[in-house]
Amino acid sequence: MFKWLKSGAPWVWLTGGAVSISLISVLGLLLLIGWKGLTYFWPAPLYQWQDSHGAALIGQIYSKSWVQTRNIPNARDVLPEEVLATGKVERYSIKIANRDRYGFDFVSVLAPELYHEDKPTDLVVIERSRGGHFFGRIIALKGPLGQVNSELATLLSIELSQVEEIRDQIEAIVERKIKGLNHQLEALRLKQRRDKLNGVLTDELAQRYQQQTSIIHQQLAQSEIELDALQHELASKVLTVEDMKGERFDIGLNRVLDFWYPNQMSFSDKLSHWAQQVWKFLSDNPRESNSEGGVFPAIFGTVLLVIIMSVMVMPLGVLVAVYLHEYAENNFLTRMVRVGVINLAGVPSIVYGVFGLGFFVYTIGASIDSLFYAERLPAPTFGTPGLLWSALTLAILTLPVVIVATEEGLNRIPMSARHGSLALGATQFETLWRIVLPMASPAIITGLILAVARAAGEVAPLMLVGVVKLASSLPIDSQFPFLHLERKFMHLGFHIYDVGFQTSNIEAARPLVYATSFLLVTVVVGLNLTAIAIRNNLREKYRTLGQD
């Protein structure tokens, strides 16, 4: 026994078991998050019950749980004796939707209080732009030509297609005309103010500015007339529906995004619907304080942030690593720099956020505003958190990762490769550019991917230097200079925090938290797996090479 312990075999098995448990735990966590998130888009059946008072209840079973009967205050009044004898009862959490009418999305009901469970085929789910989903029945479709009560599903599909076309026309007018004219109006105002600050604004020039402003206002008024006409056309069609209480009311088609009859759908229909809902989640804008809709602005902001951060951190990190390894002498200063780089990797990320806010935003940003955007003051342009400062903050945060990974790659290149190049007459720079850096490129790419993986999941520093709950527009648009680095943006990590902890309707938004978390974890895990594959390729490539 002592020899077996002394041989180290138990520690090998212990280490292998710990690694296996960790791997299983991570995979189990990913499966849990993925299951909780992706099943949200699956069309669940709609049930109809009757309660103990004979009133109808329509909804989807959100969750089931067992509770002890002794924890129910009036258990003897509402539960039968056979249930009381067991000591526990099943409780349903039912999503009833219709938030605008009931004030809440969920009810909690004990199973014995529900009677006559059924799944009527005429129950419909209506996805609305505000007010959440509607559960109930469609009674009629009203339009300028009158009311229709038959073949509502087919007719409503056609009408929704037309409504979508009108929405596209409205979006085109807003994006291409109104926003463009407002941008011209703002540019004209700033130009006039700049001339006034520089003392070159004459009466003739002021009159010319006034004329141009009047022309733009006329164009804006014409665009608003077109917009009002389209919105009036949208409001002219309404849907008469009936809720579970039997009350009827109208829903404007301008609020209806989609509808489906879950109890009539086959498996293939449900699969197609699930794919459409996932695509909407990836491509649409958020709604209802981020508790509904998609996450496209957050995906776009995360990817754009990482790209800008990579462009900033890679040249600087590679240059620092090359200087420390190829040019700097091994003295006290160099050793202190290396110790500093290693220690920087352990600094909490929120500290980088405070540094970015104080140095980049309030110091550099304010100086840029006073030098180049004086006509906009006191409204800040770069002197406020934005995309540029977020990218710079993350670049500093991930700089140690790139430096260390690049130096490790340079260490693996044998001195004989350098000496051979120098012996053939190449200069030190030519040797570095043509021999050393290409051989170290796998390590450099590994450092980049590790930096991207870390930056994609960071939230704390971004909360101080640029990320917001809801951005009014993307950082890229059709207005010059097209890429607006001063704008605030949305981020997947902050979106998860906001929906999970800041929304007022957490029960309805919880599946979106899981779905967004799974999306972010998938991106980060994919980047890390890519880094591991590149690192393994690097080790295999230089496995037989030694150092002089």
Side-chain angles (χ1 to χ4, degrees):
M1 184 68 180
F2 179 75
K3 291 183 179 180
W4 182 64
L5 291 174
K6 191 175 180 180
S7 66
W11 313 117
V12 174
W13 283 100
L14 183 63
T15 303
V19 172
S20 301
I21 293 174
S22 300
L23 184 60
I24 293 173
S25 300
V26 171
L27 292 177
L29 177 63
L30 291 178
L31 290 175
L32 174 64
I33 295 175
W35 176 260
K36 290 281 189 178
L38 296 179
T39 53
Y40 167 72
F41 305 106
W42 190 263
L46 272 179
Y47 293 92
Q48 178 172 317
W49 300 272
Q50 286 184 353
D51 59 17
S52 55
H53 303 288
L57 178 65
I58 295 176
Q60 297 173 343
I61 299 178
Y62 185 73
S63 63
K64 298 180 181 180
S65 60
W66 290 92
V67 295
Q68 299 295 325
T69 55
R70 64 174 179 270
N71 296 329
I72 302 174
N74 57 341
R76 295 190 177 277
D77 297 331
V78 298
L79 298 178
E81 291 296 333
E82 57 271 16
V83 175
L84 291 173
T86 61
K88 60 181 180 179
V89 62
E90 193 172 21
R91 181 171 59 189
Y92 292 165
S93 177
I94 300 175
K95 182 178 180 180
I96 59 174
N98 305 8
R99 186 190 314 148
D100 54 340
R101 299 188 62 82
Y102 308 144
F104 46 85
D105 287 88
F106 296 87
V107 294
S108 182
V109 184
L110 299 177
E113 295 179 325
L114 298 176
Y115 306 93
H116 307 297
E117 180 179 293
D118 191 15
K119 293 193 293 184
T121 58
D122 60 339
L123 292 180
V124 67
V125 178
I126 299 178
E127 182 182 4
R128 299 181 291 182
S129 58
R130 61 181 184 275
H133 288 178
F134 170 83
F135 294 167
R137 293 175 172 86
I138 297 177
I139 304 301
L141 179 63
K142 300 177 183 178
L145 301 179
Q147 178 173 310
V148 180
N149 300 84
S150 60
E151 298 184 358
L152 293 176
T154 304
L155 184 59
L156 183 55
S157 299
I158 297 174
E159 292 291 342
L160 286 182
S161 300
Q162 297 176 358
V163 167
E164 188 63 28
E165 293 178 359
I166 297 176
R167 286 200 189 101
D168 293 339
Q169 295 176 18
I170 292 176
E171 184 178 359
I173 292 176
V174 172
E175 294 293 332
R176 299 176 186 177
K177 293 184 178 181
I178 295 180
K179 284 189 176 181
L181 291 172
N182 285 329
H183 179 77
Q184 295 177 20
L185 199 62
E186 178 67 11
L188 195 62
R189 185 189 69 83
L190 293 175
K191 187 177 180 181
Q192 184 177 3
R193 191 164 188 265
R194 188 186 308 116
D195 291 343
K196 185 177 181 180
L197 291 175
N198 295 333
V200 297
L201 183 63
T202 62
D203 293 339
E204 181 182 355
L205 192 57
Q207 186 177 3
R208 188 183 306 168
Y209 282 140
Q210 185 64 32
Q211 292 175 354
Q212 294 177 357
T213 302
S214 300
I215 295 174
I216 295 176
H217 278 299
Q218 292 176 4
Q219 294 174 348
L220 274 174
Q222 181 63 33
S223 298
E224 289 175 356
I225 292 174
E226 297 177 10
L227 193 62
D228 290 340
L230 291 174
Q231 291 177 344
H232 178 73
E233 185 178 353
L234 277 181
S236 64
K237 301 175 182 179
V238 296
L239 199 62
T240 302
V241 295
E242 182 181 272
D243 63 7
M244 65 183 182
K245 296 181 180 180
E247 299 177 355
R248 296 185 179 185
F249 60 97
D250 294 335
I251 301 176
L253 284 190
N254 55 342
R255 292 177 54 193
V256 177
L257 301 176
D258 197 3
F259 76 99
W260 59 92
Y261 293 88
N263 298 337
Q264 298 180 12
M265 301 173 73
S266 62
F267 179 80
S268 59
D269 294 334
K270 292 182 178 180
L271 186 61
S272 175
H273 176 84
W274 177 84
Q276 292 176 2
Q277 292 298 314
V278 171
W279 172 248
K280 287 183 181 180
F281 174 71
L282 298 176
S283 60
D284 285 356
N285 294 327
R287 307 187 308 269
E288 297 285 319
S289 188
N290 290 343
S291 62
E292 292 182 8
V295 293
F296 175 74
I299 298 174
F300 188 87
T302 304
V303 173
L304 184 60
L305 172 70
V306 169
I307 291 175
I308 297 175
M309 181 274 301
S310 303
V311 172
M312 293 177 177
V313 74
M314 279 307 296
L316 183 59
V318 172
L319 286 175
V320 171
V322 167
Y323 174 77
L324 290 176
H325 190 272
E326 300 292 330
Y327 291 96
E329 297 180 357
N330 188 18
N331 50 29
F332 176 78
L333 180 60
T334 305
R335 290 193 293 271
M336 290 302 297
V337 170
R338 285 195 172 92
V339 171
V341 169
I342 295 173
N343 288 333
L344 281 177
V347 175
S349 59
I350 189 65
V351 176
Y352 287 99
V354 174
F355 170 78
L357 182 64
F359 181 70
F360 291 134
V361 178
Y362 293 152
T363 302
I364 298 180
S367 301
I368 292 176
D369 284 350
S370 61
L371 289 175
F372 302 103
Y373 300 96
E375 68 278 4
R376 296 176 181 263
L377 295 175
T381 302
F382 282 94
T384 185
L387 179 61
L388 176 62
W389 309 134
S390 299
L392 282 172
T393 302
L394 288 186
I396 295 177
L397 187 149
T398 56
L399 184 63
V401 177
V402 178
I403 294 175
V404 172
T406 304
E407 266 210 281
E408 289 181 355
L410 294 174
N411 280 328
R412 296 181 64 87
I413 300 175
M415 293 301 297
S416 57
R418 297 177 175 85
H419 293 163
S421 176
L422 295 173
L424 292 174
T427 63
Q428 186 176 4
F429 176 77
E430 290 174 338
T431 300
L432 179 67
W433 184 256
R434 296 180 178 274
I435 304 299
V436 177
L437 287 181
M439 295 178 68
S441 58
I444 297 174
I445 296 174
T446 301
L448 170 64
I449 297 178
L450 290 174
V452 167
R454 182 179 180 187
E458 286 292 345
V459 178
L462 299 180
M463 296 172 65
L464 300 176
V465 290
V467 73
V468 290
K469 174 187 179 72
L470 186 63
S472 58
S473 57
L474 296 176
I476 293 180
D477 59 19
S478 59
Q479 304 296 332
F480 183 83
F482 310 116
L483 175 60
H484 303 274
L485 297 176
E486 76 280 3
R487 288 184 182 175
K488 295 176 176 60
F489 64 101
M490 297 181 65
H491 187 272
L492 281 173
F494 184 77
H495 186 82
I496 295 170
Y497 164 76
D498 176 70
V499 176
F501 300 97
Q502 301 296 314
T503 183
S504 58
N505 194 9
I506 181 59
E507 283 296 331
R510 184 179 299 169
L512 288 180
V513 176
Y514 284 111
T516 310
S517 300
F518 182 71
L519 177 62
L520 181 58
V521 169
T522 302
V523 173
V524 175
V525 169
L527 291 172
N528 279 286
L529 291 177
T530 305
I532 293 172
I534 294 176
R535 184 184 299 114
N536 292 338
N537 185 31
L538 173 66
R539 290 173 179 172
E540 182 65 23
K541 186 174 183 179
Y542 297 108
R543 182 172 56 87
T544 59
L545 295 178
Q547 292 190 5
D548 295 340

